[in-house]
Amino acid sequence: MRRRLPARLDPGTTIAAVRELHIRLGGTKILDGVTLDVTAGQVLALVGPNGAGKSTLLSALCGDLPIDSGQALLYQEPLAHWSAVEMAMRRAVMLQQATISFPFTVAQIVEMGRAPWSGTGRADADEQAIRTAMTLADVIPFSERVFSSLSGGERARVSLARALAQQSQLLLLDEPTAALDLHHQEDVLQLARRQAATGDAVVIVLHDLNLAAGYADQVAILSNGQLAACGPPAEVLTAELLSDVYQHKVEVWPHPATGEPVILPQRQGAGPRR
Ligand code: ADP
Ligand code: MG
């Protein structure tokens, strides 16, 4: 039996959550008791060192990983209860590595984001959804190119467009800005904010702590599979915590224009060149 799609949730309502989540992979403990709420109308940045468990947590929120103990919930129900199509109607994912083995064009790949709606009343909106997603992710200039011919940054924008075309209320993005230039990085975060303003929940894995500080409502810091902190950027992005989690001394200063935290790594051997 297929569940009815819920009405759009009010801002602040939990869309997805993990509770005391433990995941082991290859015999190793990867996530160790993580509890986190993903709420409608908010951008949640997931940060932390390489290997901290960010992608694993995102996969758990997608329902793509078996859980050892604890819960991963979508609309209050364990993800294991949802069928693939039901999940695809409710959450869209952009993975860290997009592998496309056939010579599909950009437009064809974005169109794949509409697959969950095939045969439903919402298929009528396919064309508009694809066009809007391609415009937002700025892929129109190369929409007829084959995916494999694109640069890393262009590929990332196509993967983002595909996720946007899906038009679900939960958007899970794994390092969407990693290969992007400065302009497109800011674009993606502005886009995340706009999606959140429509009532969507956006989870975005970031390495750039200043992007997290500038755009996220909440920042979750993962360290060694545990949640080191979660809260508004000004509360959790502190010099003490970041220096400890990243094992590198950082300074945090208020942004001269906005007052948001600006994170500066301490540099040894840097300074005026002779
Ligand atoms: P992040 O995205 O924060 O960089 P990941 O969630 O990808 O980290 O991975 C967390 C840790 O789990 C890493 O140390 C990674 O090597 C390890 N890991 C991921 N998948 C597996 C697996 N299938 N078997 C064993 N270890 C894994
Ligand atoms: Mg990762």
Side-chain angles (χ1 to χ4, degrees):
M1 189 187 71
R2 186 171 279 187
R3 297 170 184 77
R4 287 166 64 87
L5 276 170
R8 290 186 75 76
L9 296 180
D10 292 333
T13 316
T14 297
I15 290 187
V18 293
R19 303 258 177 267
E20 273 301 311
L21 184 70
H22 291 259
I23 289 184
R24 298 178 80 88
L25 294 172
T28 310
K29 194 189 284 182
I30 309 293
L31 290 182
D32 186 9
V34 177
T35 294
L36 189 68
D37 276 84
V38 178
T39 52
Q42 290 206 338
V43 175
L44 170 70
L46 201 50
V47 305
N50 295 138
K54 304 179 297 295
S55 295
T56 306
L57 178 54
L58 210 73
S59 298
L61 284 167
C62 290
D64 285 348
L65 274 182
I67 288 169
D68 282 275
S69 67
Q71 286 185 307
L73 306 166
L74 181 63
Y75 294 100
Q76 323 289 344
E77 249 190 84
L79 274 152
H81 294 181
W82 298 92
S83 73
V85 172
E86 284 181 313
M87 276 196 284
M89 289 174 169
R90 289 162 177 84
R91 54 103 180 101
V93 193
M94 173 186 169
L95 295 175
Q96 222 172 336
Q97 287 108 2
T99 43
I100 309 280
S101 17
F102 289 95
F104 290 118
T105 65
V106 168
Q108 286 171 326
I109 288 169
V110 179
E111 195 180 334
M112 290 173 196
R114 298 302 297 168
W117 304 110
S118 158
T120 75
R122 282 179 59 170
D124 295 347
D126 281 1
E127 212 171 298
Q128 179 63 35
I130 292 163
R131 189 86 200 157
T132 303
M134 292 211 292
T135 304
L136 288 172
D138 193 17
V139 303
I140 302 266
F142 44 87
S143 62
E144 293 313 315
R145 294 253 310 273
V146 171
F147 185 78
S148 57
S149 75
L150 302 177
S151 77
E154 289 164 345
R155 287 181 194 204
R157 278 149 53 199
V158 174
S159 301
L160 176 64
R162 176 170 63 173
L164 289 172
Q166 214 168 314
Q167 292 189 328
S168 59
Q169 207 186 348
L170 173 61
L171 197 53
L172 303 167
L173 308 173
D174 199 350
E175 295 197 32
T177 57
L180 300 190
D181 63 57
L182 180 145
H183 167 79
H184 285 103
Q185 286 187 21
E186 297 290 325
D187 254 12
V188 168
L189 270 295
Q190 284 169 22
L191 175 71
R193 284 240 57 87
R194 282 198 302 272
Q195 291 300 124
T198 69
D200 288 357
V202 184
V203 182
I204 182 164
V205 178
L206 292 172
H207 276 305
D208 187 332
L209 299 170
N210 289 313
L211 285 177
Y215 289 102
D217 296 293
Q218 300 278 319
V219 181
I221 305 179
L222 266 185
S223 177
N224 290 323
Q226 297 186 334
L227 201 59
C230 182
E235 282 178 25
V236 301
L237 297 175
T238 65
E240 193 184 5
L241 180 59
L242 294 174
S243 300
D244 180 42
V245 165
Y246 286 93
Q247 293 288 291
H248 188 104
K249 193 152 178 42
V250 303
E251 294 177 21
V252 179
W253 295 94
H255 190 285
T258 63
E260 285 154 358
V262 175
I263 294 92
L264 299 168
Q266 197 176 72
R267 295 193 171 143
Q268 282 173 359
R273 309 287 188 273
R274 281 199 207 104

